[in-house]
Amino acid sequence: MMGQATVQDQLFYAFNLEDHVPRDHLLRGVDRFLDLGELRQHLAPLYSHTGRPSIDPELMIRMLVIGYCMGIRSERRLCEEVHLNLAYRWFCRLGLEDRVPDHSTFSKNRHGRFRQSDAFRFVFETVLRRCMSEGLVQGEGFAIDASIIKADANRAGKASSSEVAHWRQEAQCSRAVREYLEALETANLVADDATEAMHDANAVPRHISPTDPAAYWTAASGGPAFYAYSTNYLIDLSAGIIVDVEATPAHRTQEVESTRTMIDRVEQRLDLKPQRLVGDTAYGTAPLLGWLVQNKQIEPHVPVWDKTARKDGSLSISEFQWAPERNEHVCPEGHALRNDRRQFATPRTHITKAGTVIFRASQADCARCARKEHCCPNTQMRKIARSVHEESRDVARSIALTPAYSQSRKQRKKVEVLFAHLKRIMKLDRLRLRGLSGARDEFLLAATAQNLRRMAKWLMPSAADAQLKVE
């Protein structure tokens, strides 16, 4: 006999969400380590004491954490998933009959209270302190790296300098454009006569997106160029916990400079200062090495950015001996290269704009030298540009010869694994929000989710392993 399901209304239901969430679900591990008890106090000054009650900020943060942990990029879809998924409702502290906030609520709060109070960084540092209390952050060694993320901008779009000049005169312009113009003024790139400054070719980049002007035009990935930002990670090498994150345009100089910002911020806010910093060749510039060694006393486990080796077979700088007691270089033939062969009435530092000091050989010594054709065949005398941070560069070179350096090179892969996870699992290969502030919000939330997942993996392995099998 064929059975048939019948629907019968019940007057009372006994339903407990806790019983319907699997014990090995990833969100159970995340919920264990996510404590937002201080969030309301942090946001309290931005809320009125009268009027209708607002949406609970903890609810919105928990929903965003779900989105980034589970790779749900659309906030509209996130609201639908929280409405339907029992585990998501349980994590957000919502009952079966509780309403899910509208997706527009996230945008209003993000551009208002959350951004004004830097709430996303507050949540990130709250999770990071929990990682520290759980013993996952040792503070002995940090690694630094950057990854390019596509901006929400059409690669075919391009604005000219004249168009940028008119942006300031428009009554209505997008939030991303307003932030870009404010950043120009802050950096003193806009003169008193704004129109004249905007027409200057140096005032704006050659390629600028009309929808997201702060995004940088780059072809660093090796394919067609596109507008992008860079997410810069500073991680602890013990368990791969992200200790800081910074958003910058996808430009190598700004990526390298963000290292100073993050190291200083971690030291000031969390009292963490590493003994060694691991990075690739991009972070081996002379100014950064000098700052690490002289200012911060941090060992740079970084390859030195060195372009002094010659490819024409002539003598390289490494073949000239440095004599610090005489402040001169000595060539293989024993002749001195000095930086003070001319006497000036006013003493000079001899430091160029590039941060180097030029050492020159005597023209007479080079003229009668038998090895001139192998040393300076195209000039009358040999010149050497020595960096003012050369001693710090020598420290990095000596560290590169140690076994500890070889181990650091292997540990550096942990940050690359995080970037692969960011793009493959969390699906953050293209931003949804525009402007540098939008990129900062997304990168902070993504790093928070990664730290939460890492704690769940290390401290509750059954929950994380089960989720990884699903993925």
Side-chain angles (χ1 to χ4, degrees):
M1 179 178 179
M2 182 182 296
Q4 182 176 358
T6 58
V7 179
Q8 211 171 14
D9 294 336
Q10 297 184 15
L11 294 177
F12 303 99
Y13 286 90
F15 190 90
N16 187 2
L17 278 176
E18 177 80 22
D19 298 335
H20 293 267
V21 179
R23 294 296 171 185
D24 56 356
H25 198 283
L26 175 64
L27 288 181
R28 282 194 178 273
V30 172
D31 181 69
R32 174 182 171 182
F33 302 109
L34 179 62
D35 184 6
L36 299 176
E38 299 180 359
L39 180 63
R40 292 186 182 87
Q41 181 180 356
H42 179 75
L43 294 171
L46 300 176
Y47 283 87
S48 173
H49 297 288
T50 59
R52 295 171 55 189
S54 66
I55 302 296
D56 185 357
E58 180 177 347
L59 169 60
M60 288 186 283
I61 294 296
R62 284 182 171 272
M63 290 181 64
L64 289 172
V65 167
I66 290 175
Y68 282 87
C69 280
M70 302 301 177
I72 304 175
R73 301 290 296 130
S74 168
E75 288 172 356
R76 188 186 297 269
R77 181 175 162 236
L78 174 62
C79 293
E80 295 174 354
E81 292 292 334
V82 172
H83 175 72
L84 297 173
N85 193 300
L86 294 180
Y88 296 173
R89 279 185 170 271
W90 170 84
F91 182 80
C92 293
R93 309 293 193 263
L94 292 174
L96 288 178
E97 298 181 355
D98 292 332
R99 293 188 59 182
V100 177
D102 187 76
H103 65 90
S104 62
T105 305
F106 294 97
S107 178
K108 293 177 182 178
N109 282 273
R110 179 189 299 110
H111 299 305
R113 300 183 183 95
F114 288 171
R115 193 160 290 171
Q116 294 170 17
S117 65
D118 209 3
F120 294 139
R121 179 160 291 279
F122 177 82
V123 174
F124 169 78
E125 292 182 352
T126 299
V127 173
L128 177 58
R129 288 188 176 90
R130 181 60 184 270
C131 294
M132 295 170 62
S133 66
E134 296 289 344
L136 298 182
V137 177
Q138 301 298 325
E140 183 273 333
F142 286 174
I144 181 73
D145 206 352
S147 183
I148 295 176
I149 307 294
K150 292 181 180 179
D152 184 25
N154 186 352
R155 62 182 303 272
K158 179 182 177 182
S160 63
S161 300
S162 58
E163 290 179 282
V164 176
H166 292 307
W167 288 350
R168 296 184 57 83
Q169 304 172 2
E170 296 179 1
Q172 297 292 334
C173 58
S174 67
R175 183 179 289 104
V177 170
R178 290 199 303 270
E179 290 181 359
Y180 174 73
L181 296 175
E182 291 171 359
L184 285 180
E185 293 176 351
T186 302
N188 294 323
L189 295 179
V190 179
D192 293 336
D193 186 354
T195 304
E196 180 181 349
M198 286 298 185
H199 278 85
D200 185 1
N202 296 324
V204 295
R206 182 178 179 182
H207 291 269
I208 183 170
S209 169
T211 56
D212 193 351
Y216 198 83
W217 181 256
T218 180
S221 60
F226 53 87
Y227 295 105
Y229 289 94
S230 288
T231 175
N232 300 271
Y233 275 7
L234 184 68
I235 73 163
D236 182 85
L237 290 173
S238 175
I241 296 296
I242 305 168
V243 295
D244 205 357
V245 57
E246 183 73 8
T248 63
H251 188 271
R252 181 61 57 83
T253 301
Q254 298 188 50
E255 292 173 1
V256 173
E257 286 302 311
S258 69
T259 306
R260 307 189 188 202
T261 302
M262 291 189 288
I263 289 179
D264 283 339
R265 185 162 52 205
V266 169
E267 183 178 4
Q268 293 169 5
R269 297 193 180 190
L270 303 170
D271 195 24
L272 284 176
K273 182 181 174 183
Q275 299 177 16
R276 60 189 170 106
L277 180 70
V278 184
D280 57 22
T281 310
Y283 300 91
T285 59
L288 183 59
L289 292 176
W291 181 78
L292 289 171
V293 175
Q294 301 296 331
N295 295 59
K296 308 301 291 185
Q297 291 76 49
I298 297 175
E299 294 183 2
H301 288 230
V302 180
V304 177
W305 180 279
D306 193 354
K307 297 296 182 181
T308 59
R310 297 195 171 188
K311 300 180 180 179
D312 57 358
S314 59
L315 298 179
S316 299
I317 294 179
S318 59
E319 300 182 59
F320 289 74
Q321 185 179 1
W322 170 244
E325 66 281 357
R326 300 192 302 272
N327 190 34
E328 64 183 26
H329 281 277
V330 181
C331 76
E333 294 296 319
H335 302 301
L337 285 76
R338 302 189 180 95
N339 68 338
D340 54 356
R341 292 188 178 277
R342 292 180 58 189
Q343 298 296 326
F344 297 92
T346 303
R348 301 187 178 185
T349 62
H350 303 287
I351 300 176
T352 66
K353 293 181 179 180
T356 60
V357 177
I358 306 299
F359 290 81
R360 297 176 175 85
S362 169
Q363 186 173 345
D365 290 339
C366 289
R368 59 174 177 265
C369 181
R371 303 182 65 178
K372 183 179 186 302
E373 294 301 319
H374 298 285
C375 181
C376 52
N378 301 320
T379 59
Q380 294 181 344
M381 69 188 76
R382 180 60 187 262
K383 299 178 183 178
I384 289 180
R386 179 181 175 85
S387 171
V388 295
H389 304 290
E390 195 64 31
E391 293 182 1
S392 300
R393 285 156 56 91
D394 289 339
V395 171
R397 292 188 183 101
S398 62
I399 292 175
L401 302 176
T402 63
Y405 178 83
S406 300
Q407 180 63 25
S408 295
R409 304 310 300 166
K410 297 177 182 178
Q411 292 178 319
R412 195 185 69 84
K413 296 179 180 179
K414 293 183 179 181
V415 67
E416 297 176 352
V417 171
L418 285 170
F419 288 141
H421 178 271
L422 180 72
K423 296 179 180 181
R424 186 176 66 87
I425 302 300
M426 302 177 68
K427 299 180 174 57
L428 185 56
D429 55 351
R430 183 185 178 94
L431 295 173
R432 293 186 306 103
L433 308 180
R434 294 174 178 171
L436 189 60
S437 60
R440 186 181 300 113
D441 291 347
E442 290 217 56
F443 295 158
L444 279 169
L445 285 169
T448 301
Q450 286 184 296
N451 282 346
L452 287 168
R453 289 178 61 113
R454 183 58 58 95
M455 276 194 287
K457 176 181 178 181
W458 281 63
L459 305 177
M460 294 184 64
S462 60
D465 291 346
Q467 184 64 25
L468 291 174
K469 291 178 182 179
V470 174
E471 295 167 352

